[in-house]
Amino acid sequence: ITIANQTLTVSGNVSIGNQTLTVNVTNPITVANSITIANQTLSVNIAGHGVVTLSYIQTIPVGSGNIFENTNISQIKLASVFVYNDSATPFTLSLQMSPTTTPADYVDDPSYSLIVIPGNSKRILTINRYALYFRLAYTTLAAIPVRIWYNGQR
């Protein structure tokens, strides 16, 4: 459904039950009460800027592995990764980028290669080089609960 009105007033409750929802906003929106959207994914364009967000909230297992494997960033202008270590144990993290999805083609970003994320700390990694794909490579000696978000702007 497309609503092309200059203004739209809704009284009562509005339910949106889509699996996906895209919202394009070019003029201000005023909300007097709350809006609840229970979609599985939500893309929002504000004055022409799309926002993409991914989250990884779980315990990383002992050893080495990858998070956000083969995440396509080819259309992203600005991106950050927020890392929260929710344990007392440190772990090592590298931001890796690649022109392909082939595992051997990934290269560590020199700004974030084998960085130590101390216990009970948080860190922001900025993706400031162009590539088609990115991932985070980790190494840990213990299972560690983490919260990691990737936010990108188109």
Side-chain angles (χ1 to χ4, degrees):
I1 184 171
T2 300
I3 301 171
N5 306 33
Q6 289 289 330
T7 62
L8 175 64
T9 302
V10 178
S11 297
N13 296 324
V14 175
S15 296
I16 301 172
N18 304 28
Q19 292 259 334
T20 59
L21 173 67
T22 300
V23 178
N24 294 303
V25 178
T26 55
N27 294 313
I29 293 179
T30 302
V31 177
N33 293 309
S34 64
I35 296 176
T36 301
I37 301 172
N39 299 40
Q40 289 184 359
T41 61
L42 174 65
S43 297
V44 179
N45 290 317
I46 301 172
H49 296 286
V51 176
V52 176
T53 188
L54 299 173
S55 64
Y56 179 93
I57 303 172
Q58 54 189 316
T59 299
I60 55 176
V62 175
S64 299
N66 298 310
I67 300 168
F68 302 137
E69 183 76 37
N70 296 327
T71 299
N72 187 327
I73 59 171
S74 63
Q75 300 297 313
I76 301 300
K77 295 178 183 173
L78 179 66
S80 299
V81 178
F82 298 83
V83 180
Y84 298 82
N85 181 350
D86 291 331
S87 81
T89 306
F91 69 99
T92 303
L93 193 65
S94 294
L95 173 66
Q96 298 182 329
M97 303 174 81
S98 177
T100 74
T101 59
T102 303
D105 290 342
Y106 276 89
V107 177
D108 284 4
D109 180 327
S111 298
Y112 302 108
S113 180
L114 299 173
I115 60 170
V116 175
I117 308 297
N120 298 311
S121 69
K122 52 192 166 190
R123 181 93 186 251
I124 298 174
L125 315 177
T126 56
I127 300 175
N128 56 14
R129 290 171 170 71
Y130 184 78
L132 296 181
Y133 302 95
F134 102 97
R135 69 183 183 187
L136 298 175
Y138 68 85
T139 302
T140 180
L141 299 176
I144 297 177
V146 297
R147 293 173 293 135
I148 303 174
W149 282 272
Y150 157 73
N151 295 145
Q153 181 185 52
R154 289 187 191 107

